[in-house]
């Protein structure tokens, strides 16, 4: 079983729509959860990180973690064409290894 | 805003040649990493570095790879004898004293011919 699974899409939505991006993970040892945005041929840009179950909001972005289901989500409200990118979930353990384990990435297009 | 920088942005090399990829992490960060991304694939961890030594390395990071922090600002990845399958984007990342948030550089695209 893969450590992190993410639907690669592509996902195409109209401008202004609410976008939902999701990942599942297999190991409860993972305790820190990040979302990165990556534009074509650029480095991943950290959007949000969270530790506990529940919601964390930052502007138009909301990260949600459900540790009981091993399910993490990123919601984008009032989506803009500039949000078009690949979104990567990444997880890590709290102690020991500090590496990030990335999902495949979901390619998102917001249509004007 | 502080950022991670990487040079060169694109490196073309012949199979069997040595390459050195360079990174300048964010200045007060303590943890340094290298990741790679083969075109169309996941970002994969290569190595983490803390307190002047390797903390963890993946199975990809074999004897052909090495890392070094030669001075107080640079962090380098050396590939001793490049193979075709080393062609990828290589990302450097750094994080502060908590080690949780990792900030990535723009990457070096390595093409091995």
């Amino acid at each position: 079983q893969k450590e992190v699974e993410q639907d690669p899409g592509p996902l195409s939505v109209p401008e202004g729509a609410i976008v939902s991006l999701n990942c599942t993970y297999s190991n409860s040892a993972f305790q820190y959860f990040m979302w990165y945005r990556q534009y074509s041929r650029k480095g991943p840009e950290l959007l949000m990180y969270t530790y506990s179950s529940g919601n964390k909001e930052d502007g138009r972005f909301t990260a949600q973690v459900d540790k009981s289901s091993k399910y993490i989500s990123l919601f984008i409200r009032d989506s803009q064409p500039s949000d078009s990118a690949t979104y990567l979930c990444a997880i890590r353990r709290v102690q020991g290894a500090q590496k990030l384990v990335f999902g495949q990435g979901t390619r998102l297009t917001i249509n004007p | 805003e502080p950022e991670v920088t990487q040079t060169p942005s694109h490196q073309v090399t012949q199979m069997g040649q040595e390459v050195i990829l360079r990174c300048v992490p964010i200045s007060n960060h303590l943890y340094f990493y290298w990741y790679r991304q083969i075109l169309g694939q996941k970002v994969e961890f290569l190595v983490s570095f803390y307190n002047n030594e390797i903390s963890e390395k993946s199975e990809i990071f074999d004897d052909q790879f090495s890392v070094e922090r030669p001075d107080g600002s640079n962090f380098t990845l050396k590939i001793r004898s490049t193979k075709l399958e080393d062609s990828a984007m290589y990302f450097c990342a750094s994080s502060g004293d908590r080690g949780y948030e990792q900030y990535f550089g723009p990457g070096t695209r390595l093409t091995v011919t």
Side-chain angles (χ1 to χ4, degrees), chain A residues 64-85:
Chain A
Q64 188 175 81
V65 175
D66 181 349
K67 288 187 179 179
S68 62
S69 303
K70 300 189 183 65
Y71 194 84
I72 61 174
S73 301
L74 178 71
F75 299 96
I76 308 174
R77 289 186 301 280
D78 187 25
S79 55
Q80 305 293 311
S82 58
D83 295 327
S84 298

Side-chain angles (χ1 to χ4, degrees), chain A residues 4 32 34 36 38 41-44 46 49 88 92 94 97-100 102-104, chain B residues 31 33 35 37 40 42-43 45 56 89 91 98-106 109:
Chain A
V4 186
Y32 248 81
M34 285 89 173
Y36 285 84
Q38 186 178 29
R41 294 187 178 263
K42 302 292 185 187
L46 180 63
Y49 73 96
L88 311 172
R92 55 153 287 173
V94 174
Q98 297 175 38
K99 67 178 183 184
L100 292 178
F102 281 86
Q104 178 72 27
Chain B
Y31 299 89
Y33 314 83
Y35 292 81
Q37 186 176 31
K42 286 185 180 188
V43 176
F45 170 77
E56 186 185 8
M89 283 288 283
F91 296 109
R98 296 187 308 163
Y100 297 141
E101 304 152 55
Q102 294 183 21
Y103 295 91
F104 283 71
R109 181 151 61 104

Side-chain angles (χ1 to χ4, degrees), chain B residues 3-79:
Chain B
E3 58 183 18
V4 177
T5 59
Q6 290 185 244
T7 54
S9 57
H10 188 196
Q11 173 94 47
V12 181
T13 190
Q14 289 190 326
M15 197 167 51
Q17 295 296 303
E18 175 183 286
V19 294
I20 297 176
L21 309 183
R22 302 179 192 280
C23 168
V24 178
I26 294 172
S27 63
N28 61 345
H29 280 186
L30 302 176
Y31 299 89
F32 314 111
Y33 314 83
W34 285 100
Y35 292 81
R36 79 172 187 190
Q37 186 176 31
I38 294 170
L39 189 63
Q41 297 188 22
K42 286 185 180 188
V43 176
E44 300 175 287
F45 170 77
L46 292 178
V47 66
S48 60
F49 191 86
Y50 171 70
N51 203 25
N52 284 318
E53 60 183 29
I54 290 174
S55 301
E56 186 185 8
K57 57 184 181 180
S58 71
E59 59 272 14
I60 302 168
F61 194 88
D62 61 23
D63 292 344
Q64 294 300 311
F65 291 86
S66 61
V67 289
E68 193 177 32
R69 188 153 162 83
D71 53 43
S73 58
N74 291 284
F75 181 50
T76 62
L77 174 70
K78 182 194 290 186
I79 309 175

Side-chain angles (χ1 to χ4, degrees), chain A residues 25-33 67 70 92-94:
Chain A
Y25 61 97
S26 58
N27 191 335
S28 57
F30 291 115
Q31 295 285 324
Y32 248 81
F33 311 95
K67 288 187 179 179
K70 300 189 183 65
R92 55 153 287 173
R93 292 174 176 86
V94 174

